[in-house]
């Protein structure tokens, strides 16, 4: 890929993000998800405050609680993203969508079955024991590092011959996943390292859980908008009528199919 191609694709990427955020699909999905998500965040804050003051509320209100309301929403969003990406892979043939869909399925299963917690305790006996962080808290990011390595390797292999539209779309999803990992793994290590006051623990845990929650929601909103744009492009390509075509023909979401060098 030449320098001019890189500059052109960078401009297309910025335009793509803007068009997706401004698209009706993004706004409609946000109107459906954000009110409920905001309620869950408010309940989480109230529950954490109750933990500090002794006014205990059901722990199902906490975003980080296993099988809580927040986690069930995360399950639904990640499975929905996997389904949309699999549909795009089946229709467009880009393996980038398949790799990301598999990742969402793996993360959903891990979250629901608490696999990384079990792995942390399983590998803890062979990890250093004299650190300010518990050994099992070291094992959990090791598992995620392995999953991340396989995911990045899959993306690297899928890039060969990938269409530029799928590359740009996947770059947005990859960015959201990376930000989610920063909150879910890195911030978790901060919370687990050393000693903290009760207030610090609750504040740091909230940053971790709310940040991860927000990034999953953002990834969902972008995936909905990407899928909607792809579906409209499919109808346009099938000659479904001029009304199915995007008014802004230069939008990267509806770019002509091309392959990267």
């Amino acid at each position: 890929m030449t320098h001019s191609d890189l500059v052109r694709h960078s401009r297309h990427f910025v335009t793509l993000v803007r068009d997706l955020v401004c698209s009706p699909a993004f706004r409609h999905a946000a109107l459906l998800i954000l009110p409920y998500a905001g309620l869950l965040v408010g309940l989480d804050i109230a529950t954490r405050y109750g933990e500090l003051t002794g006014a205990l509320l059901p722990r199902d209100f906490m975003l980080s609680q296993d099988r809580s309301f927040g986690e069930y929403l995360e399950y639904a969003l990640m499975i929905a993203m996997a389904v949309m990406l699999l549909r795009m892979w089946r229709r467009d043939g880009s393996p980038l969508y398949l790799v990301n869909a598999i990742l969402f399925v793996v993360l959903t299963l891990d979250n629901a079955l608490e696999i990384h917690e079990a792995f942390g305790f399983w590998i803890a006996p062979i990890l250093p024991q004299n650190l300010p962080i518990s050994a099992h808290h070291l094992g959990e990011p090791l598992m995620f590092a392995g999953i991340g390595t396989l995911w990045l390797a899959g993306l690297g292999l899928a890039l060969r011959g990938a269409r530029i539209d799928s590359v740009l779309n996947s770059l947005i999803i990859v960015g959201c996943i990376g930000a989610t990992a920063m909150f879910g793994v890195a911030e978790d290590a901060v919370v687990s390292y050393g000693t903290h006051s009760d207030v610090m623990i609750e504040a740091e845990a909230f940053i971790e859980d709310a940040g991860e929650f927000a990034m999953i929601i953002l990834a969902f909103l972008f995936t909905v908008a990407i899928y909607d744009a792809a579906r409209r492009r499919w109808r346009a390509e099938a000659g479904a009528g001029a009304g199915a075509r995007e008014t802004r023909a230069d939008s990267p979401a509806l770019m002509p199919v091309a392959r990267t060098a």
Side-chain angles (χ1 to χ4, degrees):
M1 183 181 295
T2 66
H3 179 266
S4 60
D5 288 335
L6 183 61
V7 172
R8 177 166 53 86
H9 294 325
S10 298
R11 292 173 179 171
H12 285 158
F13 179 75
V14 173
T15 304
L16 171 62
V17 173
R18 182 193 64 199
D19 287 350
L20 291 175
V21 170
C22 295
S23 68
F26 189 100
R27 294 196 302 271
H28 293 163
L31 287 172
L32 288 173
I33 298 299
L34 293 184
Y36 181 53
L39 173 63
L40 294 180
V41 171
L43 289 174
D44 181 89
I45 294 173
T47 306
R48 294 184 188 280
Y49 180 76
E51 294 280 324
L52 295 173
T53 61
L56 301 181
L57 294 173
R59 293 185 63 84
D60 286 346
F61 291 167
M62 300 184 73
L63 296 175
S64 61
Q65 183 68 24
D66 293 329
R67 295 173 178 82
S68 64
F69 298 133
E71 280 214 350
Y72 279 122
L73 179 59
E74 290 181 359
Y75 301 160
L77 297 183
M78 287 194 288
I79 290 299
M81 285 187 281
V83 170
M84 286 185 283
L85 290 170
L86 284 172
R87 169 63 177 153
M88 294 176 69
W89 167 64
R90 290 291 303 273
R91 180 61 175 79
D92 290 342
S94 175
L96 287 169
Y97 296 135
L98 176 61
V99 172
N100 286 320
I102 292 174
L103 177 68
F104 283 124
V105 172
V106 170
L107 293 179
T108 303
L109 291 175
D110 170 74
N111 205 7
L113 301 178
E114 304 174 32
I115 296 174
H116 67 276
E117 289 93 344
F119 178 83
F121 283 106
W122 176 76
I123 201 174
I126 65 175
L127 296 176
Q129 306 293 317
N130 56 347
L131 296 177
I133 183 173
S134 301
H136 70 274
H137 283 301
L138 287 176
E140 293 177 13
L142 286 178
M143 176 178 167
F144 284 119
I147 293 175
T149 299
L150 291 174
W151 171 59
L152 291 174
L155 290 176
L157 293 173
L159 278 174
R160 298 185 59 182
R163 295 188 305 274
I164 188 59
D165 60 325
S166 66
V167 173
L168 296 179
N169 288 335
S170 296
L171 186 59
I172 297 174
I173 298 172
V174 168
C176 293
I177 294 172
T180 303
M182 287 299 297
F183 284 106
V185 178
E187 183 64 22
D188 179 68
V190 172
V191 174
S192 305
Y193 187 86
T195 59
H196 305 265
S197 67
D198 291 342
V199 174
M200 288 179 62
I201 290 174
E202 294 297 341
E204 291 165 349
F206 174 75
I207 292 173
E208 173 193 349
D209 299 335
E212 183 178 355
F213 188 60
M215 289 301 103
I216 291 174
I217 291 173
L218 185 61
F220 174 77
L221 297 180
F222 273 119
T223 303
V224 169
I226 290 169
Y227 178 77
D228 180 70
R231 189 175 58 177
R232 287 186 283 111
R233 188 182 68 243
W234 300 336
R235 289 202 301 262
E237 291 173 351
R245 295 185 179 275
E246 178 66 43
T247 302
R248 298 181 60 173
D250 59 343
S251 171
L254 298 176
M255 287 172 58
V257 171
R259 295 188 178 273
T260 57

